[in-house]
PDB file of all heavy atoms in Angstrom:
ATOM      1  N   LEU A 337     186.936 315.304  77.099  1.00 98.00           N
ATOM      2  CA  LEU A 337     188.334 314.877  77.233  1.00 98.00           C
ATOM      3  C   LEU A 337     188.685 314.641  78.700  1.00 98.00           C
ATOM      4  O   LEU A 337     189.463 313.736  79.023  1.00 98.00           O
ATOM      5  CB  LEU A 337     189.287 315.854  76.531  1.00 98.00           C
ATOM      6  CG  LEU A 337     189.569 317.218  77.110  1.00 98.00           C
ATOM      7  CD1 LEU A 337     190.752 317.179  78.061  1.00 98.00           C
ATOM      8  CD2 LEU A 337     189.880 318.188  75.975  1.00 98.00           C
ATOM      9  N   ILE A 338     188.065 315.419  79.596  1.00 98.00           N
ATOM     10  CA  ILE A 338     188.299 315.196  81.028  1.00 98.00           C
ATOM     11  C   ILE A 338     187.640 313.881  81.465  1.00 98.00           C
ATOM     12  O   ILE A 338     188.233 313.086  82.198  1.00 98.00           O
ATOM     13  CB  ILE A 338     187.758 316.391  81.845  1.00 98.00           C
ATOM     14  CG1 ILE A 338     188.587 317.643  81.540  1.00 98.00           C
ATOM     15  CG2 ILE A 338     187.767 316.080  83.342  1.00 98.00           C
ATOM     16  CD1 ILE A 338     187.908 318.950  81.938  1.00 98.00           C
ATOM     17  N   ALA A 339     186.415 313.637  80.980  1.00 98.00           N
ATOM     18  CA  ALA A 339     185.709 312.397  81.326  1.00 98.00           C
ATOM     19  C   ALA A 339     186.533 311.186  80.905  1.00 98.00           C
ATOM     20  O   ALA A 339     186.738 310.249  81.687  1.00 98.00           O
ATOM     21  CB  ALA A 339     184.328 312.370  80.659  1.00 98.00           C
ATOM     22  N   GLU A 340     187.033 311.219  79.679  1.00 98.00           N
ATOM     23  CA  GLU A 340     187.824 310.070  79.206  1.00 98.00           C
ATOM     24  C   GLU A 340     189.054 309.863  80.080  1.00 98.00           C
ATOM     25  O   GLU A 340     189.396 308.741  80.442  1.00 98.00           O
ATOM     26  CB  GLU A 340     188.234 310.277  77.743  1.00 98.00           C
ATOM     27  CG  GLU A 340     188.941 309.051  77.172  1.00 98.00           C
ATOM     28  CD  GLU A 340     189.546 309.320  75.808  1.00 98.00           C
ATOM     29  OE1 GLU A 340     190.393 310.240  75.685  1.00 98.00           O
ATOM     30  OE2 GLU A 340     189.190 308.608  74.862  1.00 98.00           O
ATOM     31  N   ARG A 341     189.705 310.965  80.433  1.00 98.00           N
ATOM     32  CA  ARG A 341     190.926 310.904  81.244  1.00 98.00           C
ATOM     33  C   ARG A 341     190.675 310.211  82.584  1.00 98.00           C
ATOM     34  O   ARG A 341     191.528 309.486  83.092  1.00 98.00           O
ATOM     35  CB  ARG A 341     191.439 312.325  81.469  1.00 98.00           C
ATOM     36  CG  ARG A 341     192.915 312.495  81.623  1.00 98.00           C
ATOM     37  CD  ARG A 341     193.721 311.993  80.443  1.00 98.00           C
ATOM     38  NE  ARG A 341     193.510 312.747  79.221  1.00 98.00           N
ATOM     39  CZ  ARG A 341     194.109 313.895  78.932  1.00 98.00           C
ATOM     40  NH1 ARG A 341     194.943 314.453  79.772  1.00 98.00           N
ATOM     41  NH2 ARG A 341     193.890 314.487  77.791  1.00 98.00           N
ATOM     42  N   VAL A 342     189.481 310.435  83.187  1.00 98.00           N
ATOM     43  CA  VAL A 342     189.219 309.847  84.511  1.00 98.00           C
ATOM     44  C   VAL A 342     188.401 308.561  84.434  1.00 98.00           C
ATOM     45  O   VAL A 342     188.088 307.966  85.458  1.00 98.00           O
ATOM     46  CB  VAL A 342     188.536 310.859  85.477  1.00 98.00           C
ATOM     47  CG1 VAL A 342     189.398 312.109  85.630  1.00 98.00           C
ATOM     48  CG2 VAL A 342     187.133 311.232  85.005  1.00 98.00           C
ATOM     49  N   GLY A 343     188.040 308.124  83.220  1.00 98.00           N
ATOM     50  CA  GLY A 343     187.351 306.835  83.071  1.00 98.00           C
ATOM     51  C   GLY A 343     185.833 306.896  83.090  1.00 98.00           C
ATOM     52  O   GLY A 343     185.181 305.885  83.368  1.00 98.00           O
ATOM     53  N   ILE A 344     185.250 308.062  82.775  1.00 98.00           N
ATOM     54  CA  ILE A 344     183.783 308.160  82.662  1.00 98.00           C
ATOM     55  C   ILE A 344     183.399 307.964  81.195  1.00 98.00           C
ATOM     56  O   ILE A 344     183.954 308.619  80.313  1.00 98.00           O
ATOM     57  CB  ILE A 344     183.271 309.529  83.163  1.00 98.00           C
ATOM     58  CG1 ILE A 344     183.693 309.749  84.626  1.00 98.00           C
ATOM     59  CG2 ILE A 344     181.747 309.621  83.009  1.00 98.00           C
ATOM     60  CD1 ILE A 344     183.332 311.133  85.164  1.00 98.00           C
ATOM     61  N   GLU A 345     182.427 307.081  80.949  1.00 98.00           N
ATOM     62  CA  GLU A 345     182.111 306.690  79.566  1.00 98.00           C
ATOM     63  C   GLU A 345     180.892 307.385  78.974  1.00 98.00           C
ATOM     64  O   GLU A 345     180.653 307.287  77.772  1.00 98.00           O
ATOM     65  CB  GLU A 345     181.877 305.183  79.497  1.00 98.00           C
ATOM     66  CG  GLU A 345     183.122 304.378  79.837  1.00 98.00           C
ATOM     67  CD  GLU A 345     182.931 302.889  79.637  1.00 98.00           C
ATOM     68  OE1 GLU A 345     181.856 302.375  80.010  1.00 98.00           O
ATOM     69  OE2 GLU A 345     183.855 302.235  79.123  1.00 98.00           O
ATOM     70  N   VAL A 346     180.082 308.028  79.821  1.00 99.00           N
ATOM     71  CA  VAL A 346     178.833 308.624  79.326  1.00 99.00           C
ATOM     72  C   VAL A 346     178.754 310.079  79.760  1.00 99.00           C
ATOM     73  O   VAL A 346     179.072 310.415  80.906  1.00 99.00           O
ATOM     74  CB  VAL A 346     177.604 307.850  79.862  1.00 99.00           C
ATOM     75  CG1 VAL A 346     176.302 308.469  79.360  1.00 99.00           C
ATOM     76  CG2 VAL A 346     177.662 306.373  79.463  1.00 99.00           C
ATOM     77  N   LEU A 347     178.334 310.939  78.843  1.00 99.00           N
ATOM     78  CA  LEU A 347     178.213 312.372  79.108  1.00 99.00           C
ATOM     79  C   LEU A 347     176.820 312.824  78.676  1.00 99.00           C
ATOM     80  O   LEU A 347     176.339 312.429  77.612  1.00 99.00           O
ATOM     81  CB  LEU A 347     179.289 313.109  78.302  1.00 99.00           C
ATOM     82  CG  LEU A 347     179.475 314.616  78.446  1.00 99.00           C
ATOM     83  CD1 LEU A 347     180.880 314.994  77.966  1.00 99.00           C
ATOM     84  CD2 LEU A 347     178.462 315.452  77.690  1.00 99.00           C
ATOM     85  N   ALA A 348     176.210 313.671  79.485  1.00 98.00           N
ATOM     86  CA  ALA A 348     174.917 314.254  79.094  1.00 98.00           C
ATOM     87  C   ALA A 348     175.070 315.759  78.891  1.00 98.00           C
ATOM     88  O   ALA A 348     175.739 316.438  79.672  1.00 98.00           O
ATOM     89  CB  ALA A 348     173.860 313.986  80.162  1.00 98.00           C
ATOM     90  N   THR A 349     174.437 316.263  77.850  1.00 98.00           N
ATOM     91  CA  THR A 349     174.435 317.704  77.582  1.00 98.00           C
ATOM     92  C   THR A 349     173.056 318.073  77.056  1.00 98.00           C
ATOM     93  O   THR A 349     172.156 317.243  77.012  1.00 98.00           O
ATOM     94  CB  THR A 349     175.538 318.073  76.571  1.00 98.00           C
ATOM     95  OG1 THR A 349     175.512 319.494  76.351  1.00 98.00           O
ATOM     96  CG2 THR A 349     175.344 317.383  75.232  1.00 98.00           C
ATOM     97  N   GLY A 350     172.898 319.345  76.639  1.00 97.00           N
ATOM     98  CA  GLY A 350     171.665 319.750  75.969  1.00 97.00           C
ATOM     99  C   GLY A 350     171.807 319.468  74.488  1.00 97.00           C
ATOM    100  O   GLY A 350     171.249 318.516  73.938  1.00 97.00           O
ATOM    101  N   GLY A 351     172.595 320.303  73.838  1.00 96.00           N
ATOM    102  CA  GLY A 351     172.867 320.092  72.414  1.00 96.00           C
ATOM    103  C   GLY A 351     174.359 320.233  72.167  1.00 96.00           C
ATOM    104  O   GLY A 351     175.044 320.947  72.898  1.00 96.00           O
ATOM    105  N   ILE A 352     174.856 319.568  71.141  1.00 97.00           N
ATOM    106  CA  ILE A 352     176.276 319.707  70.820  1.00 97.00           C
ATOM    107  C   ILE A 352     176.481 320.959  69.972  1.00 97.00           C
ATOM    108  O   ILE A 352     175.563 321.466  69.326  1.00 97.00           O
ATOM    109  CB  ILE A 352     176.822 318.472  70.054  1.00 97.00           C
ATOM    110  CG1 ILE A 352     176.012 318.229  68.763  1.00 97.00           C
ATOM    111  CG2 ILE A 352     176.837 317.244  70.941  1.00 97.00           C
ATOM    112  CD1 ILE A 352     176.713 317.345  67.759  1.00 97.00           C
ATOM    113  N   GLY A 353     177.711 321.460  69.974  1.00 96.00           N
ATOM    114  CA  GLY A 353     178.098 322.478  69.014  1.00 96.00           C
ATOM    115  C   GLY A 353     178.251 321.822  67.656  1.00 96.00           C
ATOM    116  O   GLY A 353     178.336 320.591  67.556  1.00 96.00           O
ATOM    117  N   GLY A 354     178.272 322.624  66.607  1.00 97.00           N
ATOM    118  CA  GLY A 354     178.379 322.030  65.273  1.00 97.00           C
ATOM    119  C   GLY A 354     178.934 323.032  64.283  1.00 97.00           C
ATOM    120  O   GLY A 354     179.615 323.985  64.661  1.00 97.00           O
ATOM    121  N   VAL A 355     178.622 322.810  63.026  1.00 97.00           N
ATOM    122  CA  VAL A 355     179.011 323.748  61.977  1.00 97.00           C
ATOM    123  C   VAL A 355     177.992 324.889  62.012  1.00 97.00           C
ATOM    124  O   VAL A 355     176.787 324.652  61.898  1.00 97.00           O
ATOM    125  CB  VAL A 355     178.974 323.072  60.583  1.00 97.00           C
ATOM    126  CG1 VAL A 355     179.373 324.081  59.500  1.00 97.00           C
ATOM    127  CG2 VAL A 355     179.877 321.842  60.554  1.00 97.00           C
ATOM    128  N   HIS A 356     178.485 326.114  62.209  1.00 95.00           N
ATOM    129  CA  HIS A 356     177.547 327.244  62.212  1.00 95.00           C
ATOM    130  C   HIS A 356     177.070 327.531  60.795  1.00 95.00           C
ATOM    131  O   HIS A 356     177.738 327.185  59.819  1.00 95.00           O
ATOM    132  CB  HIS A 356     178.220 328.486  62.826  1.00 95.00           C
ATOM    133  CG  HIS A 356     178.262 328.408  64.322  1.00 95.00           C
ATOM    134  ND1 HIS A 356     177.393 329.089  65.137  1.00 95.00           N
ATOM    135  CD2 HIS A 356     179.041 327.674  65.139  1.00 95.00           C
ATOM    136  CE1 HIS A 356     177.642 328.781  66.396  1.00 95.00           C
ATOM    137  NE2 HIS A 356     178.639 327.927  66.434  1.00 95.00           N
ATOM    138  N   ARG A 357     175.900 328.139  60.683  1.00 93.00           N
ATOM    139  CA  ARG A 357     175.432 328.542  59.352  1.00 93.00           C
ATOM    140  C   ARG A 357     176.469 329.485  58.753  1.00 93.00           C
ATOM    141  O   ARG A 357     176.942 330.396  59.443  1.00 93.00           O
ATOM    142  CB  ARG A 357     174.080 329.245  59.444  1.00 93.00           C
ATOM    143  CG  ARG A 357     172.956 328.312  59.884  1.00 93.00           C
ATOM    144  CD  ARG A 357     171.611 328.980  59.705  1.00 93.00           C
ATOM    145  NE  ARG A 357     170.558 328.264  60.424  1.00 93.00           N
ATOM    146  CZ  ARG A 357     169.268 328.615  60.408  1.00 93.00           C
ATOM    147  NH1 ARG A 357     168.883 329.682  59.726  1.00 93.00           N
ATOM    148  NH2 ARG A 357     168.370 327.917  61.065  1.00 93.00           N
ATOM    149  N   GLY A 358     176.842 329.259  57.528  1.00 94.00           N
ATOM    150  CA  GLY A 358     177.918 330.028  56.904  1.00 94.00           C
ATOM    151  C   GLY A 358     179.293 329.499  57.272  1.00 94.00           C
ATOM    152  O   GLY A 358     180.315 330.087  56.905  1.00 94.00           O
ATOM    153  N   GLY A 359     179.341 328.402  58.008  1.00 95.00           N
ATOM    154  CA  GLY A 359     180.615 327.841  58.472  1.00 95.00           C
ATOM    155  C   GLY A 359     181.550 327.438  57.349  1.00 95.00           C
ATOM    156  O   GLY A 359     182.766 327.364  57.549  1.00 95.00           O
ATOM    157  N   GLU A 360     180.973 327.221  56.160  1.00 94.00           N
ATOM    158  CA  GLU A 360     181.839 326.828  55.031  1.00 94.00           C
ATOM    159  C   GLU A 360     182.749 327.984  54.605  1.00 94.00           C
ATOM    160  O   GLU A 360     183.786 327.760  53.990  1.00 94.00           O
ATOM    161  CB  GLU A 360     181.004 326.301  53.850  1.00 94.00           C
ATOM    162  CG  GLU A 360     180.075 327.301  53.177  1.00 94.00           C
ATOM    163  CD  GLU A 360     178.715 327.444  53.874  1.00 94.00           C
ATOM    164  OE1 GLU A 360     178.597 327.162  55.087  1.00 94.00           O
ATOM    165  OE2 GLU A 360     177.760 327.871  53.205  1.00 94.00           O
ATOM    166  N   THR A 361     182.372 329.225  54.978  1.00 96.00           N
ATOM    167  CA  THR A 361     183.295 330.336  54.692  1.00 96.00           C
ATOM    168  C   THR A 361     183.939 330.878  55.975  1.00 96.00           C
ATOM    169  O   THR A 361     185.125 331.174  55.998  1.00 96.00           O
ATOM    170  CB  THR A 361     182.597 331.504  53.946  1.00 96.00           C
ATOM    171  OG1 THR A 361     181.369 331.777  54.601  1.00 96.00           O
ATOM    172  CG2 THR A 361     182.327 331.147  52.505  1.00 96.00           C
ATOM    173  N   SER A 362     183.158 330.964  57.084  1.00 93.00           N
ATOM    174  CA  SER A 362     183.738 331.518  58.320  1.00 93.00           C
ATOM    175  C   SER A 362     184.653 330.502  59.012  1.00 93.00           C
ATOM    176  O   SER A 362     185.475 330.882  59.844  1.00 93.00           O
ATOM    177  CB  SER A 362     182.624 331.912  59.295  1.00 93.00           C
ATOM    178  OG  SER A 362     181.951 330.744  59.756  1.00 93.00           O
ATOM    179  N   LEU A 363     184.500 329.225  58.681  1.00 95.00           N
ATOM    180  CA  LEU A 363     185.177 328.120  59.376  1.00 95.00           C
ATOM    181  C   LEU A 363     184.808 328.071  60.859  1.00 95.00           C
ATOM    182  O   LEU A 363     185.569 327.519  61.668  1.00 95.00           O
ATOM    183  CB  LEU A 363     186.698 328.159  59.185  1.00 95.00           C
ATOM    184  CG  LEU A 363     187.191 327.895  57.759  1.00 95.00           C
ATOM    185  CD1 LEU A 363     188.714 327.840  57.735  1.00 95.00           C
ATOM    186  CD2 LEU A 363     186.625 326.594  57.196  1.00 95.00           C
ATOM    187  N   ASP A 364     183.657 328.630  61.239  1.00 95.00           N
ATOM    188  CA  ASP A 364     183.185 328.484  62.622  1.00 95.00           C
ATOM    189  C   ASP A 364     182.550 327.102  62.766  1.00 95.00           C
ATOM    190  O   ASP A 364     181.370 326.895  62.467  1.00 95.00           O
ATOM    191  CB  ASP A 364     182.185 329.587  62.980  1.00 95.00           C
ATOM    192  CG  ASP A 364     181.836 329.565  64.468  1.00 95.00           C
ATOM    193  OD1 ASP A 364     182.254 328.620  65.180  1.00 95.00           O
ATOM    194  OD2 ASP A 364     181.143 330.497  64.928  1.00 95.00           O
ATOM    195  N   VAL A 365     183.398 326.186  63.167  1.00 96.00           N
ATOM    196  CA  VAL A 365     182.988 324.789  63.375  1.00 96.00           C
ATOM    197  C   VAL A 365     183.368 324.450  64.810  1.00 96.00           C
ATOM    198  O   VAL A 365     184.538 324.569  65.186  1.00 96.00           O
ATOM    199  CB  VAL A 365     183.717 323.840  62.393  1.00 96.00           C
ATOM    200  CG1 VAL A 365     183.319 322.392  62.653  1.00 96.00           C
ATOM    201  CG2 VAL A 365     183.431 324.236  60.947  1.00 96.00           C
ATOM    202  N   SER A 366     182.394 324.062  65.625  1.00 97.00           N
ATOM    203  CA  SER A 366     182.672 323.813  67.040  1.00 97.00           C
ATOM    204  C   SER A 366     183.751 322.749  67.221  1.00 97.00           C
ATOM    205  O   SER A 366     183.768 321.723  66.526  1.00 97.00           O
ATOM    206  CB  SER A 366     181.397 323.358  67.740  1.00 97.00           C
ATOM    207  OG  SER A 366     181.705 322.967  69.071  1.00 97.00           O
ATOM    208  N   ALA A 367     184.618 322.984  68.213  1.00 98.00           N
ATOM    209  CA  ALA A 367     185.624 321.981  68.589  1.00 98.00           C
ATOM    210  C   ALA A 367     184.960 320.713  69.131  1.00 98.00           C
ATOM    211  O   ALA A 367     185.615 319.670  69.247  1.00 98.00           O
ATOM    212  CB  ALA A 367     186.582 322.570  69.625  1.00 98.00           C
ATOM    213  N   ASP A 368     183.661 320.789  69.449  1.00 98.00           N
ATOM    214  CA  ASP A 368     182.952 319.569  69.874  1.00 98.00           C
ATOM    215  C   ASP A 368     183.063 318.485  68.797  1.00 98.00           C
ATOM    216  O   ASP A 368     183.147 317.298  69.118  1.00 98.00           O
ATOM    217  CB  ASP A 368     181.454 319.852  70.101  1.00 98.00           C
ATOM    218  CG  ASP A 368     181.162 320.710  71.326  1.00 98.00           C
ATOM    219  OD1 ASP A 368     182.102 321.027  72.086  1.00 98.00           O
ATOM    220  OD2 ASP A 368     179.974 321.066  71.508  1.00 98.00           O
ATOM    221  N   LEU A 369     183.056 318.876  67.527  1.00 98.00           N
ATOM    222  CA  LEU A 369     183.050 317.868  66.455  1.00 98.00           C
ATOM    223  C   LEU A 369     184.393 317.136  66.396  1.00 98.00           C
ATOM    224  O   LEU A 369     184.437 315.920  66.224  1.00 98.00           O
ATOM    225  CB  LEU A 369     182.695 318.517  65.109  1.00 98.00           C
ATOM    226  CG  LEU A 369     181.288 319.147  65.045  1.00 98.00           C
ATOM    227  CD1 LEU A 369     181.002 319.663  63.640  1.00 98.00           C
ATOM    228  CD2 LEU A 369     180.213 318.158  65.478  1.00 98.00           C
ATOM    229  N   GLN A 370     185.494 317.860  66.537  1.00 98.00           N
ATOM    230  CA  GLN A 370     186.828 317.235  66.598  1.00 98.00           C
ATOM    231  C   GLN A 370     186.929 316.287  67.777  1.00 98.00           C
ATOM    232  O   GLN A 370     187.544 315.230  67.693  1.00 98.00           O
ATOM    233  CB  GLN A 370     187.907 318.312  66.795  1.00 98.00           C
ATOM    234  CG  GLN A 370     188.292 319.063  65.558  1.00 98.00           C
ATOM    235  CD  GLN A 370     189.085 318.187  64.601  1.00 98.00           C
ATOM    236  OE1 GLN A 370     189.644 317.175  64.989  1.00 98.00           O
ATOM    237  NE2 GLN A 370     189.101 318.575  63.348  1.00 98.00           N
TER     238      GLN A 370
END
Side-chain angles (χ1 to χ4, degrees):
L337 73 90
I338 293 162
E340 185 189 58
R341 210 58 66 82
V342 303
I344 302 175
E345 296 186 318
V346 180
L347 184 159
T349 181
I352 57 162
V355 179
H356 282 258
R357 293 191 195 182
E360 65 276 24
T361 46
S362 67
L363 293 185
D364 188 353
V365 178
S366 173
D368 290 355
L369 298 184
Q370 281 289 340

